[in-house]
């Protein structure tokens, strides 16, 4: 195969797999109304011109995998441009995913390609084999495309990760619930007394299995007793600790912030944790740094005041918010996105909910993920006093 413009990806994980059963070209209805002459034959159906077909292989450690196969030599003289540039991206987008071009990898040649895949390609007379895999969480969705180069008699693979609305939304709800599990609200610290503490819906035992995987001991989970800024700082630090993971789930660069307000629900300030040696404000006992140009005129969810929570930007430029404190106090993830100058609450996944009142079903779903936003001027900066200018 000679001409390849776009790239596609593989990321194997050791879990059960779901398969995209619809044929990439056929399911998209790709046709030429006037017909196209390729090597002496007129085609109207793009799938037919690439001899689209499928097959299955068993691979040790991964089980039975479904592949879509294509022949670019018989009629296209090795040109895969129409297939790779148009049909495959449309197929991926039709399933609710976008391609993350920042993490492309290439293996050329791929000397470790499974012999069963090579055999399938040979039997079908094809030089491209495509499979789409998504974990059962789902984590790390990916398209795996193998190519056979006749001129060099070698196989090679191109890799690119995919992001979806579900992955990002799943990840941020997980942060809200996880933070709620290890936190307990303190009315004493907010000026009341212990008898006024709201019900603590999420405890370490609520998500014992998930916490056990991280702590190594189900009964020994570090917890904190505090108020909204404590919850916000815990969530912020958690994202920072596992930054590469959250980027793989759709976080844009390093655009995540603690946000807070005072008595004006339409004036939200972006900030980040400091310490006793480096801070310019103390919010309810928590050291924070408030950079210049940090105020945003956005109406807080439910008109909340004297409060703190988090903002997180998705790779398509849409800002989301999560409120770990309210999550703990109401029994379900309180999160949403920002649109037209206000925070809009979204429907949570039931698996994260201790309570699931019928009113949640009336909440909107989060917006689908669009095309990836271009890199900002401060994309490689770790200085939040610089990146604040790109937090728009």
């Amino acid at each position: 195969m000679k001409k390849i413009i776009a790239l596609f990806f593989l990321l194997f994980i050791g879990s059960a797999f779901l398969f995209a059963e619809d044929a990439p070209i056929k399911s998209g209805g790709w046709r030429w109304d006037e017909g196209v002459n390729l090597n002496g034959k007129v085609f109207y159906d793009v799938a037919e011109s690439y001899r689209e077909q499928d097959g299955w292989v068993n691979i040790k450690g991964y089980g039975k995998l479904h592949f879509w196969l294509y022949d670019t030599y018989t009629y296209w003289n090795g040109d895969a441009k129409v297939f790779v540039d148009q049909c495959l991206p449309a197929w991926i987008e039709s399933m609710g995913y976008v391609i993350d071009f920042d993490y492309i990898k290439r293996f050329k040649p791929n000397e470790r390609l499974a012999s069963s895949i090579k055999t399938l390609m040979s039997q079908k007379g094809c030089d491209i084999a495509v499979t789409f895999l998504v974990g059962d969480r789902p984590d790390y969705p990916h398209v795996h495309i193998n190519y056979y180069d006749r001129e060099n008699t070698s196989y090679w693979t191109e890799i690119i990760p995919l992001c979806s609305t579900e992955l990002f939304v799943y990840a941020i709800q997980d942060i809200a619930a996880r933070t709620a599990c290890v936190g307990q609200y303190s009315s004493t610290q907010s000026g009341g007394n212990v008898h006024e503490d709201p019900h603590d819906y999420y405890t370490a035992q609520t998500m014992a299995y998930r916490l056990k995987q991280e702590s190594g001991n189900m009964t020994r989970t570090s917890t904190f007793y505090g108020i909204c800024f404590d919850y916000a700082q815990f969530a912020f630090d958690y994202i920072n600790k596992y930054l590469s993971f959250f980027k793989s789930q759709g976080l844009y660069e390093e655009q995540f912030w603690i946000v807070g307000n005072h008595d004006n629900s339409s004036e939200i300030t972006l900030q980040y944790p400091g310490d006793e040696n480096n801070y310019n404000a103390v919010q309810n006992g928590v050291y924070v740094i408030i950079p210049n140009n940090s105020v945003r005129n956005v109406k807080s969810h439910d008109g909340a005041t004297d409060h703190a929570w988090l903002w997180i930007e998705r790779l398509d430029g849409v800002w989301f918010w999560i409120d770990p404190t309210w999550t703990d106090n109401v029994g379900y993830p309180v999160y949403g996105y920002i649109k037209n100058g206000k925070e809009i609450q979204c429907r949570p996944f039931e698996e994260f909910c201790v309570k699931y009142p019928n009113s949640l079903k009336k909440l909107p779903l989060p917006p689908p993920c669009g095309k990836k936003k271009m890199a900002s001027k401060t994309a490689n900066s770790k200085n939040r006093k610089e990146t604040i200018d790109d937090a728009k």
Side-chain angles (χ1 to χ4, degrees):
M1 198 204 64
K2 300 174 182 175
K3 302 175 184 176
I4 295 295
I5 306 299
L7 308 176
F8 294 83
F9 121 105
L10 158 70
L11 179 58
F12 285 123
I13 57 173
S15 64
F17 293 104
L18 302 174
F19 305 92
E21 300 291 351
D22 293 333
I25 302 180
K26 197 74 174 180
S27 65
W30 293 90
R31 295 182 59 83
W32 293 289
D33 292 337
E34 304 298 326
V36 171
N37 190 316
L38 298 169
N39 278 354
K41 182 176 180 177
V42 177
F43 289 94
Y44 294 89
D45 188 337
V46 179
E48 184 182 349
S49 73
Y50 279 113
R51 298 182 56 240
E52 183 173 60
Q53 52 194 302
D54 69 337
W56 297 79
V57 298
N58 278 299
I59 299 178
K60 186 177 180 180
Y62 301 103
K64 193 174 183 181
L65 302 182
H66 187 199
F67 283 85
W68 291 102
L69 299 112
Y70 303 88
D71 171 12
T72 71
Y73 282 101
T74 300
Y75 299 110
W76 286 90
N77 296 320
D79 186 350
K81 184 176 180 180
V82 170
F83 171 58
V84 174
D85 280 2
Q86 301 178 44
C87 303
L88 275 173
W91 180 59
I92 290 169
E93 290 175 7
S94 73
M95 293 182 287
Y97 294 89
V98 292
I99 301 167
D100 189 348
F101 291 98
D102 285 347
Y103 293 92
I104 291 171
K105 293 182 180 179
R106 172 181 290 185
F107 296 92
K108 189 174 184 179
N110 183 1
E111 297 176 348
R112 301 181 64 184
L113 184 64
S115 59
S116 56
I117 298 176
K118 295 178 183 179
T119 300
L120 177 65
M121 294 172 73
S122 177
Q123 289 175 343
K124 298 289 187 178
C126 294
D127 54 288
I128 297 180
V130 179
T131 187
F132 177 93
L133 304 173
V134 63
D136 57 2
R137 177 175 164 173
D139 279 323
Y140 305 114
H142 56 281
V143 169
H144 177 198
I145 304 183
N146 299 297
Y147 307 99
Y148 177 65
D149 185 342
R150 288 187 183 178
E151 292 182 355
N152 297 304
T153 62
S154 62
Y155 293 88
W156 52 288
T157 302
E158 290 184 309
I159 300 173
I160 191 170
L162 308 178
C163 294
S164 77
T165 301
E166 272 207 354
L167 287 178
F168 182 81
V169 171
Y170 188 105
I172 63 175
Q173 288 183 77
D174 183 69
I175 300 168
R178 186 183 303 272
T179 305
C181 279
V182 298
Q184 183 174 353
Y185 192 82
S186 168
S187 293
T188 303
Q189 291 188 37
S190 62
N193 60 67
V194 69
H195 301 294
E196 297 173 328
D197 282 356
H199 183 75
D200 187 29
Y201 281 98
Y202 290 84
T203 66
Q205 290 73 33
T206 307
M207 291 188 172
Y209 178 73
R210 188 173 284 117
L211 293 168
K212 178 184 178 181
Q213 289 181 309
E214 295 179 5
S215 68
N217 190 315
M218 189 183 304
T219 61
R220 295 177 182 270
T221 303
S222 60
T223 59
F224 64 84
Y225 188 52
I227 53 176
C228 54
F229 270 96
D230 298 288
Y231 281 83
Q233 182 174 1
F234 182 94
F236 181 99
D237 291 342
Y238 186 83
I239 297 173
N240 203 39
K241 182 177 180 180
Y242 299 104
L243 189 58
S244 61
F245 168 77
F246 285 104
K247 285 185 176 181
S248 77
Q249 304 301 284
L251 169 66
Y252 178 70
E253 296 179 357
E254 295 191 21
Q255 290 295 353
F256 59 100
W257 300 82
I258 293 176
V259 298
N261 60 15
H262 293 291
D263 56 356
N264 186 346
S265 63
S266 295
E267 190 173 279
I268 294 175
T269 302
L270 278 63
Q271 50 210 280
Y272 59 98
D275 56 46
E276 59 183 1
N277 299 313
N278 182 27
Y279 69 96
N280 60 15
V282 179
Q283 307 279 29
N284 297 113
V286 175
Y287 296 104
V288 297
I289 299 172
I290 302 176
N292 295 327
N293 191 30
S294 61
V295 176
R296 301 292 182 268
N297 294 319
V298 173
K299 179 76 172 178
S300 64
H301 59 284
D302 294 283
T305 56
D306 296 313
H307 192 45
W309 59 106
L310 266 78
W311 279 9
I312 308 169
E313 188 175 11
R314 194 170 64 184
L315 61 79
D316 61 347
V318 176
W319 280 90
F320 281 74
W321 57 270
I322 60 170
D323 192 330
T325 312
W326 282 25
T327 295
D328 207 10
N329 295 342
V330 299
Y332 51 82
V334 180
Y335 83 104
Y337 65 103
I338 299 167
K339 182 179 180 180
N340 297 330
K342 63 180 181 180
E343 294 184 335
I344 298 171
Q345 187 174 352
C346 289
R347 188 187 313 169
F349 292 173
E350 288 193 51
E351 66 184 275
F352 290 114
C353 301
V354 177
K355 292 174 57 182
Y356 198 86
N358 287 331
S359 59
L360 295 182
K361 297 178 181 179
K362 298 178 181 179
L363 294 175
L365 294 171
C369 191
K371 292 184 178 180
K372 184 167 184 177
K373 180 180 174 182
M374 292 181 63
S376 70
K377 295 179 180 178
T378 59
N380 298 316
S381 176
K382 300 291 183 180
N383 186 343
R384 286 190 168 269
K385 292 181 180 178
E386 295 177 353
T387 60
I388 186 69
D389 291 331
D390 291 314
K392 301 175 181 177

